Amino acid sequence: MQTPDGLDDLYQDIILDHYRSPRNQGVLEYPHLHGEGFNPFCGDQVDLTLTLSGDGRIDGVGFLGQGCSISQASGSMLSDQLKGKTIDEAEEFVRTFKGIMQGSDVSQEQEEELGEIAALQGVKQFPVRIKCALLSWTTLQDAINEYRKTVS
Amino acid sequence: MYDVSVIRNDFPILSRQVNGRPLVYLDNAATSQKPQSMIDALVNYYSGYNSNVHRGVHTLSMEATDAYEEARQKIATFINAPSPDNLIFVRNTSEAINLVEYSWAAANLKKGDRVVATEMEHHSNLVPWQHAVAKAEAELKLMKMAEDYSLDLSDLDELLTPQTKLVAFTQMSNVLGTITPAKEIIAAAHRVGALALVDAAQSVPHMPIDVQDLDCDFLAFSGHKMGGPMGIGVLYVKREVLEEMEPFLRGGEMVLEVTYENASWADLPMRFEAGTPSVADSIGLGAAIDYLTTLGMDNIRQHEVKLTSYAIERFKEIEEISTYGPGDMSIRGGVMSFTMGNVHPHDIGQVLDQAGVAIRTGHHCAMPLVRSRLHLPATARASFYLYNTEAEVDSLIDGLKTTLRFFGDANTRRA
């Protein structure tokens, strides 16, 4: 059987590459931010740990998870682009990505910021998979919310 | 003669396409497709004699009441209930089991009592009992799944103490396909004075069931898994048990006489059917049962045994596949749960859907079984019914091979 139509949009090479070789694998030992995400309906799990440098920028990222290709590739891609961002910038990044997955138009500037993460836009055609793509991002938002509680 | 190619013509949905391919519907454990005769019964009711039942003197109401009660009789005959009065119409299996919890268990479970279920239960036959034992300060114990995915009866005598008031178990696992030895379990329950409830959601649609031969006290199933409409299910209760039970829902239809202060209850089984019932859906279920009876439940079971055996053989061609279910077809229904290497079930389901093949992925509403006993986050599940063919199993296998090609290298990633 030939590869059915539509799948190439969903499972782009860059997504499969991140799924097969997730970046920033592991759990950091002394993270400033830590989030664990779980979707009991599909069994997708992610563990996200972040450290901050003296000037408040993310300088270490650990990502560990198991689950479907979309959830894991999305987490790996996110982990790859967090370094150097401040907490506020990371939060803005989450907001942008969530907006896109929920159907907002993407500006040229946003598309550039997303980089290879833009490949996940194909997921929009498969609504049941959107929550897979968002799992790591909502986990990051949870971690940020927790962090804000402890430092404020 | 059982001719699937002819049978398929009775199911209009089977001729549609999905994503440009012919639909291969293998999610029958979730819900079955509907024969035209059942669809016609719904349309005929609404276009010909729609009316409320049991209270009108006019013609339409009498026709509707007759058809509604005729449906109850058909179901009684189908599962060999002594009388249609043993049957309560509910929405689905979950509601049937909740009815038993609220009307029977709430009055009969006391502190220190025991309810026994199995590790294979669907949430619908587990969560109500968790709730019931918590309220009564009773305990819930589980029969175990054996290594070969059968039900382990070796410690049944220890499990069934004199404090055991109810044994509630599935007759066919919706994840493993395991058919449990219902008669044996029911007899053991009765020996200690416990009642027995059979979750027959997966068994009644696929094999002949005789409630008098089983000697069960309660038996619950849903219409939509057997060609009937969604929103209609049945609870069978033994007469002497039913007579002692308090109503579940109170209101219209279920009363004999009402004053501003008090009410007395209608006869059985209407005492348990408060409010306007799903008349059309009950009639639809009756039509589905007519259809199944014409084909013959023995023939349907044989067809599914043959098809599942074929699927088991073909699954062996893909070495990355692990399956979860008994190898012995005498205790196995047409349910195939499987995983394929490290490819997540979601991804399997997605690629198959693009090929027109519908399967289910996830925990199949049996989260503890999948997670704590199979030690999996999720499985993929193909489940068969009377209209599925070997060619459809072939489409499934082709789709799985495509999936592997797509995700193949994933097997080499981290452990």
Side-chain angles (χ1 to χ4, degrees):
Chain A
M1 189 175 76
Q2 289 184 323
T3 303
D5 306 336
L7 286 180
D8 291 332
D9 285 341
L10 179 64
Y11 297 123
Q12 294 183 31
D13 287 344
I14 186 69
I15 293 175
L16 291 175
D17 181 58
H18 274 269
Y19 173 54
R20 289 169 184 146
S21 321
R23 321 295 199 259
N24 305 298
Q25 280 264 282
V27 179
L28 302 182
E29 204 171 355
Y30 300 108
H32 295 99
L33 289 85
H34 185 195
E36 288 176 281
F38 179 45
N39 180 343
F41 290 98
C42 26
D44 294 341
Q45 289 178 33
V46 297
D47 188 316
L48 202 58
T49 43
L50 306 174
T51 55
L52 299 174
S53 64
D55 64 350
R57 290 186 183 274
I58 295 166
D59 66 352
V61 181
F63 164 72
L64 200 64
Q66 63 167 15
C68 71
S69 56
I70 301 301
S71 73
Q72 300 307 302
S74 178
S76 172
M77 288 166 141
L78 168 65
S79 76
D80 230 11
Q81 296 200 25
L82 284 175
K83 274 186 202 166
K85 285 188 171 22
T86 65
I87 297 286
D88 286 345
E89 286 165 354
E91 197 166 27
E92 182 56 33
F93 197 41
V94 171
R95 213 168 5 248
T96 303
F97 184 71
K98 280 190 172 174
I100 289 167
M101 294 313 287
Q102 283 152 10
S104 312
D105 290 335
V106 194
S107 68
Q108 185 77 34
E109 194 185 334
Q110 284 173 324
E111 180 131 5
E112 276 166 25
E113 197 204 349
L114 284 172
E116 57 188 25
I117 293 176
L120 284 166
Q121 288 183 78
V123 177
K124 277 194 289 186
Q125 296 171 46
F126 301 86
V128 294
R129 303 302 294 278
I130 290 174
K131 66 179 189 300
C132 308
L134 285 176
L135 180 62
S136 291
W137 302 74
T138 50
T139 304
L140 173 59
Q141 185 63 57
D142 292 345
I144 291 172
N145 295 346
E146 279 302 308
Y147 175 77
R148 291 227 159 99
K149 272 191 224 161
T150 58
V151 296
S152 63
Chain B
M1 187 192 139
Y2 195 93
D3 186 343
V4 186
S5 61
V6 175
I7 288 169
R8 289 178 69 82
N9 293 333
D10 298 331
F11 292 80
I13 208 171
L14 297 180
S15 59
R16 75 161 276 183
Q17 299 220 322
V18 169
N19 292 317
R21 317 275 174 125
L23 166 66
V24 174
Y25 185 77
L26 302 177
D27 192 17
N28 293 288
T31 197
S32 68
Q33 296 305 342
K34 318 303 177 194
Q36 187 64 52
S37 57
M38 192 292 280
I39 300 167
D40 289 345
L42 297 180
V43 173
N44 291 344
Y45 169 76
Y46 281 122
S47 53
Y49 57 103
N50 172 55
S51 177
N52 214 325
V53 290
H54 290 146
R55 50 176 164 239
V57 293
H58 59 81
T59 300
L60 295 190
S61 180
M62 285 186 286
E63 286 178 7
T65 303
D66 286 350
Y68 180 64
E69 291 305 332
E70 189 191 356
R72 202 193 302 270
Q73 177 62 61
K74 285 176 184 174
I75 297 161
T77 306
F78 188 66
I79 61 170
N80 196 30
S83 153
D85 296 346
N86 294 98
L87 304 179
I88 302 166
F89 281 122
V90 290
R91 279 188 304 147
N92 46 44
T93 308
S94 290
E95 186 175 297
I97 295 173
N98 274 270
L99 191 159
V100 178
E101 189 214 330
Y102 282 92
S103 291
W104 180 84
N108 289 281
L109 271 191
K110 304 281 182 263
K111 192 174 174 176
D113 281 349
R114 177 179 281 196
V115 174
V116 174
T118 82
E119 289 182 337
M120 298 180 188
E121 297 313 317
H122 187 283
H123 296 159
S124 64
N125 197 31
L126 182 65
V127 177
W129 307 124
Q130 292 172 341
H131 183 234
V133 299
K135 273 199 306 191
E137 297 182 64
E139 61 176 356
L140 177 62
K141 293 284 180 184
L142 302 176
M143 289 180 246
K144 292 193 169 40
M145 181 189 81
E147 286 295 308
D148 63 357
Y149 305 104
S150 66
L151 191 62
D152 181 0
L153 297 187
S154 61
D155 57 352
L156 192 58
D157 289 339
E158 290 93 271
L159 277 174
L160 297 183
T161 57
Q163 286 72 40
T164 306
K165 292 292 183 299
L166 180 71
V167 181
F169 65 97
T170 179
Q171 194 173 15
M172 187 192 290
S173 161
N174 71 312
V175 177
L176 308 169
T178 307
I179 298 171
T180 58
K183 240 180 126 163
E184 197 179 328
I185 297 167
I186 293 160
H190 288 164
R191 278 198 295 277
V192 296
L195 300 191
L197 178 147
V198 181
D199 173 354
Q202 297 293 340
S203 54
V204 163
H206 299 279
M207 55 198 252
I209 298 295
D210 180 335
V211 289
Q212 294 188 72
D213 180 54
L214 286 171
D215 197 29
C216 54
D217 301 283
F218 306 100
L219 184 129
F221 59 98
S222 298
H224 70 91
K225 293 187 203 289
M226 52 196 287
M230 287 186 172
I232 191 74
V234 176
L235 175 67
Y236 159 83
V237 190
K238 250 187 204 168
R239 180 78 194 192
E240 60 264 35
V241 178
L242 196 53
E243 279 173 354
E244 298 300 315
M245 282 165 57
E246 281 290 305
F248 173 39
L249 302 171
R250 291 167 170 79
E253 292 269 331
M254 53 76 70
V255 288
L256 180 64
E257 193 176 6
V258 182
T259 65
Y260 281 116
E261 293 77 27
N262 281 305
S264 58
W265 310 140
D267 282 344
L268 297 172
M270 286 180 46
R271 191 183 300 170
F272 290 93
E273 293 178 359
T276 294
S278 291
V279 178
D281 299 325
S282 310
I283 294 167
L285 177 54
I289 282 175
D290 286 341
Y291 184 80
L292 295 177
T293 304
T294 305
L295 292 184
M297 289 310 293
D298 280 315
N299 296 333
I300 291 169
R301 167 76 181 141
Q302 268 175 34
H303 171 74
E304 291 177 19
V305 165
K306 194 160 154 263
L307 195 59
T308 309
S309 305
Y310 178 73
I312 290 172
E313 281 309 307
R314 291 234 48 199
F315 268 59
K316 288 179 185 162
E317 288 171 23
I318 304 175
E319 62 177 331
E320 290 84 350
I321 284 187
S322 305
T323 58
Y324 308 92
D328 175 1
M329 279 311 301
S330 71
I331 58 159
R332 167 81 174 260
V335 177
M336 298 280 304
S337 272
F338 63 96
T339 51
M340 190 165 67
N342 279 343
V343 186
H344 192 278
H346 252 184
D347 291 318
I348 298 174
Q350 190 85 61
V351 179
L352 290 177
D353 181 60
Q354 289 298 306
V357 180
I359 63 156
R360 184 137 298 236
T361 63
H363 51 66
H364 318 296
C365 293
M367 227 187 252
L369 172 64
V370 173
R371 279 173 20 191
S372 304
R373 293 297 287 118
L374 302 181
H375 306 290
L376 297 167
T379 75
R381 180 187 72 187
S383 52
F384 307 121
Y385 205 20
L386 57 91
Y387 38 67
N388 289 123
T389 64
E390 291 189 357
E392 289 182 308
V393 173
D394 295 341
S395 298
L396 169 66
I397 299 292
D398 286 350
L400 290 173
K401 288 178 176 170
T402 303
T403 312
L404 258 190
R405 278 205 300 279
F406 219 86
F407 290 100
D409 297 345
N411 286 318
T412 58
R413 73 199 259 265
R414 68 189 194 269

